[in-house]
Amino acid sequence: MISFTPGAEADLQAVFDYIAADDLAAAGRVVARILQAIQMLENFPQIGRPGRVAGTRELHIVELHYFAVYRAIGAADLEVVAIVHDRRRFPPWQ
């Protein structure tokens, strides 16, 4: 099962809001593509590269400038902790 932290949910909403200011339909497509990519993690949890933060992995969203930061929280569960634009500093303290 894949869950989202409140921070990751806020990130996803921020992506939608930013794009929707110019194009509502495009915002929906981008968020749908991000969620589609994250769903692949259910079958392929190791598909992402090792993360910059210990204990995490990062899934680059193909064709978009975003990546999802996630971690295992059990034998079969994953938690998305952030959705990050490639140009954004991550982790923020670096």
Side-chain angles (χ1 to χ4, degrees), residues 1-3 37-47 76 78:
M1 184 176 110
I2 298 174
S3 61
I38 290 170
Q39 279 304 121
M40 289 189 329
L41 295 172
E42 284 194 354
N43 294 318
F44 306 102
Q46 297 297 314
I47 197 169
L78 299 174

Side-chain angles (χ1 to χ4, degrees), residues 49-63:
R49 66 181 179 233
R52 291 168 242 190
V53 175
T56 67
R57 297 189 72 79
E58 297 175 6
L59 176 67
H60 175 71
I61 312 300
V62 177
E63 300 174 1

Side-chain angles (χ1 to χ4, degrees), residues 16-27:
F16 180 85
D17 292 345
Y18 180 77
I19 298 169
D22 291 326
D23 188 334
L24 185 61

